Amino acid sequence: MHSTSQQSCQTNENGRALGPAHTPTPAGRLQALSTEQILERIDELLEVRYRSGDLGNVPDVLAETVYILLSLNTREAVYQRVYRALRSRYPRWADLASAPACEVEAVLEPGGLHVQRARYLKELLEAVREDNLGRGEGPGAEPDADLTLEYLRSWPDGDVERFLLALPGVGKKTARCVMAYALDRQSFAVDTHVERILSRLGLARSTGTKTDHDAFQTVVPLKLRKRLHINLIHHGRSVCAGPRPRCRNCVLVSFCSQGREAVSEDDGRPTAIDLFAGAGGLGSGFRSAGWRVALAVENERDAAQTYRANNPGTPVIEADVTALSAGDIRTHSPGLGEPHAVLAGPPCQGYSAAGARNPADPKNVLFEHVVRLADEMRAQLVVLENVPGLRRVNGVGFGDGILAALRTNRAAERHELVAADYGVPQNRRRLFFLARRSDLGTAPTAPPPTHSRDGRAGLPRTPRLDARLRGILELPPATAADPLVLDDGSLIPNATTMAHSPSVIDKISAIKPGQGPISYRRLELDMARTLVAGHRALPVHPWLDRTISVREAARIQGFPDDYTFCGFRANQPLQVANAVPPPVAKAVAEHLLGFLTCELQAPVGLQPQPGPGAAKT
Ligand code: SF4
């Protein structure tokens, strides 16, 4: 839980230290992350997205220097082609240095600025030759040897940077690129993409018209520098473009006030606020049904990161819902009027059969804050999901209290939904409290099933669990596969399987499907019970002698294969197991479109209609 008290040092909305004249915003009060924490989250999100994809850099120091000089103000495909042509024409740098200028210009011409570039390159190589001769390196040691800068590898960072900056045509960006890529130093190079994105995020800024390289390098922790630089370039090219950033596709929107303002504008879709959002099962189901989740709130760092990584364009704040006001929410989503729905799946440990079942657990009354915020924001609908165990927790019932709280200003009903009725191979039962403002009509009914467990009612049959798990994920124990790389180069994240000792494997091998102790229960072949993650581990695979991977659990829950779970591996099973299965959420979301009172641009193919629904409980 993050502190909600005012910080003694002043921070901007991303928690970055500002000067004493700055007044902290409510956003800063709630999302008091340091600059380092924000950058570390940004680095993780961009790595999930781009996997520090190769930018074509070369390991040789002199070659990398030339490569970076050719890349300046030139498109990637063009400078890479020019570099290949240059290397093919002059396999030795010494040959390029002594070649006629007009000949070099002709090779460089497709990249533009070829006259100046030919001159810079020849001056650069001439300076390197002189240095080589003076130090007895390259041709200074062996007349036929090529020019080289490999001796820089043993120099300290400061000396390397000073040396490179003294070469003709080499500025700070080039020097730091060479240091990061060819010399593996912890330098942070700032190009236009890096400067633009970090400035928009409010994390660093040049004060004058020229790029202040040191201002940017100083804020980025050493361990992040190289990977973050690469991924920021990918992000600048594909999402955070110069004139028109695509903020609705941006995984960094949580940290960007400009982006949050842009994505909060009404785009014709119904809007939802997602509280206790977890890894995003409920929210992503609503998104896939055509809703816009304007803001999510999740206090747990790894779950918040998972939400961000998979739901670009939705800001996620790490905050305690009990400390939030409608004003705080609107600060993070400035264009939000009255949301169409407030969604919430409050923590269920107090109610859950897998938890302590303590009637006095303060978590049991978190629903009061969901109702309070829905009231403050005048939301049309409320969707509150929780475990059936809340009906009676060691003699104390909470279901009626939730209904009573909702019914103060709304018509509300509770419905018990079974995940298998919505295409999920799990007999997972959950209560959904669906409420609508009293001035707008009756309470929403339950969403009609989309699948049938026995193939009746003209519905498609719920897929079997074994069908979900067959194929590429049948990996042996202790396989490192995060991600699993397929033959076609595509990636499946979170497929790593656990290592078990030989004695545990022996024990597991004797367990039949549907049997076993709680810690090593083997899943049934056709339909799982509710998927639970006990003590950071998941159940045993239906036919392999190991526990299921996070990816397999995600498949059983109905997450798409590219939905990436963030944070340490040990923190991922609970994120998956606690999530609302997205197909269930999608069915609820589609059904609720029929209970809204407004003009909406419903996505093509959706025909929202109140259905007969399941029986009220
Ligand atoms: S939210 Fe928009 S402006 Fe901000 S980093 Fe993302 S794309 Fe750029």
Side-chain angles (χ1 to χ4, degrees):
M1 185 180 298
H2 295 291
S3 166
T4 55
S5 62
Q6 191 149 314
Q7 304 296 295
S8 55
C9 76
Q10 295 181 322
T11 59
N12 73 357
E13 61 211 337
N14 290 330
R16 180 181 169 227
L18 293 171
H22 182 79
T23 304
T25 62
R29 182 169 61 84
L30 292 166
Q31 196 176 14
L33 301 176
S34 68
T35 299
E36 182 165 347
Q37 287 171 317
I38 291 170
L39 282 164
E40 172 261 321
R41 282 161 174 73
I42 287 172
D43 171 62
E44 182 182 31
L45 292 168
L46 295 180
E47 180 62 13
V48 166
R49 196 84 172 166
Y50 306 109
R51 305 266 174 197
S52 27
D54 185 9
L55 291 171
N57 297 84
V58 282
D60 179 88
V61 184
L62 181 52
E64 175 69 3
T65 309
V66 173
Y67 182 79
I68 296 295
L69 286 172
L70 293 179
S71 76
L72 302 178
N73 304 314
T74 309
R75 284 187 297 118
E76 184 183 24
V78 176
Y79 71 70
Q80 289 186 343
R81 200 166 59 239
V82 169
Y83 178 79
R84 284 195 298 273
L86 200 69
R87 295 271 42 198
S88 154
R89 179 72 183 80
Y90 305 108
R92 287 162 39 87
W93 296 117
D95 297 339
L96 197 164
S98 56
C102 58
E103 193 184 292
V104 180
E105 287 167 15
V107 182
L108 299 179
E109 191 168 0
L113 302 170
H114 47 289
V115 177
Q116 296 98 308
R117 279 187 169 151
R119 194 177 72 240
Y120 286 151
L121 278 189
K122 287 175 68 62
E123 286 173 5
L124 170 88
L125 295 173
E126 202 44 58
V128 171
R129 184 204 302 279
E130 279 180 27
D131 195 73
N132 282 184
L133 294 176
R135 292 179 195 281
E137 299 280 354
E142 190 70 50
D144 288 340
D146 197 8
L147 305 178
T148 182
L149 288 177
E150 290 305 296
Y151 47 93
L152 298 186
R153 292 192 184 282
S154 60
W155 292 18
D157 289 358
D159 291 351
V160 174
E161 185 167 314
R162 271 188 295 280
F163 176 89
L164 290 171
L165 288 174
L167 292 174
V170 175
K172 271 197 179 165
K173 178 197 150 183
T174 302
R176 289 182 180 173
C177 279
V178 172
M179 291 173 72
Y181 289 119
L183 293 167
D184 210 19
R185 305 298 170 92
Q186 288 160 331
S187 295
F188 189 66
V190 183
D191 79 337
T192 51
H193 297 298
V194 173
E195 180 169 18
R196 183 173 63 249
I197 298 170
L198 293 185
S199 300
R200 282 174 173 169
L201 289 165
L203 295 170
R205 189 161 281 126
S206 299
T207 41
T209 50
K210 283 191 159 177
T211 301
D212 184 347
H213 292 266
D214 293 336
F216 288 84
Q217 177 165 276
T218 308
V219 299
V220 181
L222 293 177
K223 61 181 184 206
L224 303 183
R225 286 181 176 172
K226 183 173 177 185
R227 190 169 93 168
L228 183 62
H229 166 80
I230 295 171
N231 285 330
L232 283 170
I233 290 176
H234 287 298
H235 196 59
R237 286 175 179 170
S238 61
V239 176
C240 191
R244 274 197 295 278
R246 296 166 56 228
C247 302
R248 290 193 193 278
N249 293 308
C250 183
V251 293
L252 306 184
V253 69
S254 305
F255 308 108
C256 180
S257 54
Q258 174 181 334
R260 286 199 303 268
E261 191 155 348
V263 300
S264 73
E265 285 169 14
D266 183 10
D267 64 356
R269 288 181 290 167
T271 54
I273 299 296
D274 194 358
L275 306 175
F276 305 105
L282 192 55
S284 59
F286 269 69
R287 281 170 64 108
S288 59
W291 289 66
R292 177 169 66 88
V293 180
L295 190 79
V297 183
E298 170 52 49
N299 213 9
E300 203 275 311
R301 181 245 180 244
D302 290 346
Q305 284 288 89
T306 296
Y307 202 119
R308 293 174 181 130
N310 297 284
N311 296 276
T314 292
V316 182
I317 54 172
E318 291 173 45
D320 176 3
V321 170
T322 65
L324 274 184
S325 68
D328 296 325
I329 288 176
R330 291 206 166 92
T331 300
H332 283 86
S333 186
L336 182 73
E338 292 175 0
H340 294 97
V342 167
L343 322 176
C348 61
Q349 290 88 338
Y351 309 130
S352 169
R357 292 186 65 73
N358 173 12
D361 190 329
K363 290 197 181 85
N364 294 347
V365 290
L366 290 174
F367 68 85
E368 291 173 356
H369 293 280
V370 178
V371 176
R372 173 180 59 81
L373 287 168
D375 283 343
E376 284 178 25
M377 288 187 287
R378 285 187 46 79
Q380 290 190 23
L381 301 170
V382 178
V383 178
L384 216 153
E385 179 266 359
N386 222 296
V387 294
L390 63 71
R391 287 200 194 95
R392 197 139 287 275
V393 182
N394 286 333
V396 181
F398 286 90
D400 290 345
I402 295 174
L403 266 186
L406 287 167
R407 282 175 177 164
T408 306
N409 291 315
R410 297 168 195 79
E413 295 292 349
R414 67 181 157 204
H415 307 280
E416 184 169 303
L417 306 185
V418 183
D421 290 340
Y422 302 94
V424 177
Q426 234 186 115
N427 277 321
R428 182 189 193 94
R429 291 173 185 277
R430 288 292 180 265
L431 292 182
F432 279 76
F433 294 81
L434 303 182
R436 178 155 61 159
R437 256 181 25 214
S438 309
D439 57 316
L440 301 177
T442 54
T445 53
T450 60
H451 289 71
S452 158
R453 280 169 270 181
D454 53 14
R456 283 182 293 181
L459 293 169
R461 224 186 167 99
T462 304
R464 284 174 60 91
L465 187 142
D466 53 359
R468 281 280 159 91
L469 298 187
R470 294 237 179 257
I472 49 172
L473 295 180
E474 293 181 71
L475 303 168
T479 304
D482 191 7
L484 175 66
V485 183
L486 304 184
D487 289 345
D488 65 359
S490 56
L491 308 175
I492 297 185
N494 309 119
T496 293
T497 56
M498 272 189 90
H500 301 296
S501 67
S503 66
V504 167
I505 292 180
D506 268 2
K507 195 162 112 186
I508 287 176
S509 64
I511 301 171
K512 303 227 168 341
Q515 296 179 5
I518 185 125
S519 51
Y520 286 113
R521 197 170 175 285
R522 193 184 280 282
L523 290 169
E524 296 80 353
L525 285 158
D526 55 348
M527 183 82 61
R529 294 191 214 168
T530 302
L531 200 66
V532 290
H535 198 62
R536 300 176 168 184
L538 288 157
V540 173
H541 196 282
W543 63 90
L544 300 176
D545 292 332
R546 61 163 173 79
T547 52
I548 56 171
S549 64
V550 169
R551 184 80 273 138
E552 287 162 330
R555 271 202 182 175
I556 295 169
Q557 282 277 63
F559 282 98
D561 267 357
D562 61 355
Y563 204 95
T564 305
F565 293 85
C566 296
F568 288 118
R569 162 70 179 70
N571 295 343
Q572 294 165 0
L574 269 180
Q575 291 183 45
V576 187
N578 287 350
V580 175
V584 178
K586 183 170 184 243
V588 173
E590 287 180 350
H591 182 65
L592 289 181
L593 290 171
F595 291 88
L596 292 173
T597 49
C598 60
E599 293 281 316
L600 295 171
Q601 298 165 5
V604 177
L606 285 183
Q607 296 189 332
Q609 282 180 359
K616 293 170 194 163
T617 59

